[in-house]
């Protein structure tokens, strides 16, 4: 097994949150000073999502802050595009600040907001960095060839929903987009794929943990897979693991608000060659697990399917 579940999963549920929410899921994660930080999505009782913060010393035992961290904006351009909620945050630490990319839902569709924080107290919205019909934006933790780099997943009625790459000099204006990984027909990810955790640097390439969706007679199944991107040119795919690395198997993954879902927005590399990986289970609770980075890299190198 490539991912070992933490034995006391789930690690965070609605019962741990000091304000009323009906779910805790799809959290971005990072570290700050001596703490792990988890920025989780919660449905409020009106069905719309907000982002809450939890902190941990060991990455497994979490305590939520008293108040939500981000709710739909009350003013400016962000108010217009967040009125239906904020969802599925990813966190990247770069140039001394934390970048938070999140889905902003409104009557105009779903687009991606970029907010920044330095201290996990104050947060400042920076820009809306896509037009409508984009989700799952992850930003690389380093500039490459002088540019910020991101992966994302536009919606498409024409091509299967795929992973794209694009670049920016300033985090605001993005371009030179290319489609780099597509769903594979009659495969566990055949319906759609999307970036999950912000890419992790390894000596063999950038490790991209993504989600893939398979349609069944009983609804969609969300699983996780891995791809490896060239360190100097991440639009080049070294390999895409043919097998999934995690699928819904435990009761809290098989049943819940949306059954058969494991969905990641973040993983944290540790000094011992492992990662801690976090996933929302059944859109209801947060789970944690560990994996060896070499095992995930080797899957991409030794058992790869074509990226496109
Ligand atoms: C996707 C997103 C995720 C969610 C998943 C499973 O389309 O909405 O936020 O976890 O579906 O419901």
């Amino acid at each position: 097994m490539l991912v070992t579940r933490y034995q006391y999963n789930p690690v965070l549920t609605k019962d741990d949150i000091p304000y009323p929410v009906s779910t805790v899921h799809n959290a971005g994660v990072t570290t700050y000073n001596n703490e792990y930080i988890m920025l989780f999505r919660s449905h409020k009782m009106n069905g719309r999502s907000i982002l809450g913060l939890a902190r941990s010393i060991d990455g497994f035992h979490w305590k939520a802050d008293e108040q939500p961290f981000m709710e739909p904006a009350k003013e400016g351009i962000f108010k217009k595009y967040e009125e239906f909620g904020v969802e599925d945050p990813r966190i990247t630490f770069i140039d001394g600040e934390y970048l938070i990319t999140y889905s902003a839902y409104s009557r105009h569709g779903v687009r991606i907001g970029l907010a920044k924080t330095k201290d996990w107290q104050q947060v400042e919205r920076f820009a809306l960095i896509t037009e409508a019909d984009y989700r799952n934006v992850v930003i690389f933790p380093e500039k490459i060839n002088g540019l910020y780099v991101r992966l994302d997943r536009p919606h498409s009625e024409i091509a299967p929903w795929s992973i794209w790459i694009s670049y920016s000099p300033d985090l605001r204006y993005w371009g030179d987009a290319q489609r780099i990984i597509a769903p594979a027909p009659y495969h566990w990810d055949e319906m759609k794929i999307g970036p999950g955790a912000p890419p992790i640097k390894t000596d063999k390439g950038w490790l991209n943990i993504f989600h893939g969706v398979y349609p069944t007679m009983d609804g969609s199944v969300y699983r996780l897979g891995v791809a490896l991107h060239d360190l100097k040119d991440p639009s080049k795919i070294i390999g895409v693991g043919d097998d999934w690395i995690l699928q819904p198997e435990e009761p809290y993954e098989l049943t819940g608000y949306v059954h058969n879902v494991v969905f990641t927005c973040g993983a944290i590399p540790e000094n011992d060659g492992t990662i801690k990986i976090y996933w929302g289970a059944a859109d209801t609770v947060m789970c944690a697990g560990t994996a060896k980075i070499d095992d995930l890299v080797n899957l991409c190198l030794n058992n790869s399917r074509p990226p496109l």
Side-chain angles (χ1 to χ4, degrees):
M1 223 168 30
L2 289 170
V3 177
T4 304
R5 286 175 177 81
Y6 175 58
Q7 62 174 316
Y8 301 115
N9 272 342
V11 295
L12 201 69
T13 76
K14 66 182 167 70
D15 300 330
D16 303 314
I17 310 304
Y19 42 88
V21 294
S22 64
T23 63
V24 172
H25 61 120
N26 298 5
V29 289
T30 190
T31 53
Y32 169 61
N33 292 341
N34 297 322
E35 284 182 331
Y36 291 80
I37 296 280
M38 176 185 281
L39 184 64
F40 58 86
R41 168 181 171 194
S42 282
H43 283 103
K44 295 198 303 178
M45 301 339 177
N46 64 3
R48 294 183 177 172
S49 293
I50 58 173
L51 304 182
L53 201 71
R55 301 166 195 265
S56 169
I57 298 299
D58 64 0
F60 297 113
H61 298 82
W62 294 89
K63 187 167 187 332
D65 284 5
E66 288 301 313
Q67 299 295 330
F69 188 71
M70 283 179 74
E71 298 189 69
K74 297 195 176 55
E75 54 189 19
I77 186 86
F78 295 93
K79 177 180 179 194
K80 179 172 173 188
Y81 290 105
E82 294 179 10
E83 68 167 328
F84 293 172
V86 288
E87 304 187 358
D88 297 3
R90 274 79 170 187
I91 303 166
T92 295
F93 183 70
I94 186 167
D95 297 341
E97 55 189 4
Y98 295 88
L99 309 179
I100 302 165
T101 48
Y102 60 95
S103 302
Y105 276 82
S106 73
R107 68 191 67 201
H108 309 291
V110 54
R111 36 192 321 205
I112 296 296
L114 172 58
K116 298 180 178 186
T117 182
K118 287 193 167 134
D119 59 7
W120 295 104
Q121 302 286 343
Q122 302 293 321
V123 61
E124 197 180 309
R125 283 166 169 83
F126 176 72
L128 288 148
I129 58 169
T130 69
E131 52 284 84
D133 288 344
Y134 281 79
R135 275 208 308 251
N136 307 313
V137 171
V138 299
I139 297 177
F140 285 68
E142 283 176 20
K143 285 186 181 172
I144 301 171
N145 303 320
L147 296 172
Y148 295 99
V149 186
R150 83 178 194 206
L151 305 176
D152 62 37
R153 207 284 310 284
H155 298 200
S156 176
E157 295 306 320
I158 300 171
W161 301 31
S162 305
I163 296 178
W164 289 63
I165 193 166
S166 58
Y167 306 88
S168 172
D170 57 6
L171 291 172
R172 186 178 297 272
Y173 301 102
W174 295 83
D176 285 336
Q178 278 190 67
R179 183 179 181 225
I180 53 172
I181 311 177
Y186 215 81
H187 195 255
W188 61 269
D189 63 4
E190 85 163 355
M191 186 175 164
K192 45 184 178 173
I193 55 173
I200 291 167
K201 195 174 197 180
T202 76
D203 52 359
K204 303 267 171 37
W206 292 103
L207 182 67
N208 163 15
I209 307 175
F210 63 89
H211 67 261
V213 187
Y214 188 81
T216 77
M217 295 302 286
D218 186 32
S220 299
V221 181
Y222 277 72
R223 300 185 173 96
L224 302 182
V226 279
L228 200 64
H229 300 233
D230 186 86
L231 284 177
K232 294 205 179 94
D233 177 1
S235 71
K236 281 195 196 140
I237 304 300
I238 299 168
V240 184
D242 192 52
D243 299 339
W244 64 70
I245 63 161
L246 188 74
Q247 70 156 350
E249 282 176 12
E250 294 295 326
Y252 45 81
E253 297 162 339
L254 298 170
T255 59
Y257 181 54
V258 181
H259 67 289
N260 283 331
V261 176
V262 294
F263 191 96
T264 189
C265 294
I268 296 182
E270 304 286 359
N271 291 331
D272 63 356
T274 66
I275 54 167
K276 288 193 176 66
I277 174 166
Y278 296 87
W279 61 93
D283 285 6
T284 304
V285 297
M286 272 310 295
C287 295
T290 53
K292 290 195 182 114
I293 292 176
D294 281 351
D295 289 351
L296 303 180
V297 166
N298 287 337
L299 180 67
C300 300
L301 294 175
N302 302 331
N303 185 8
S304 175
R305 56 96 162 166
L308 291 174

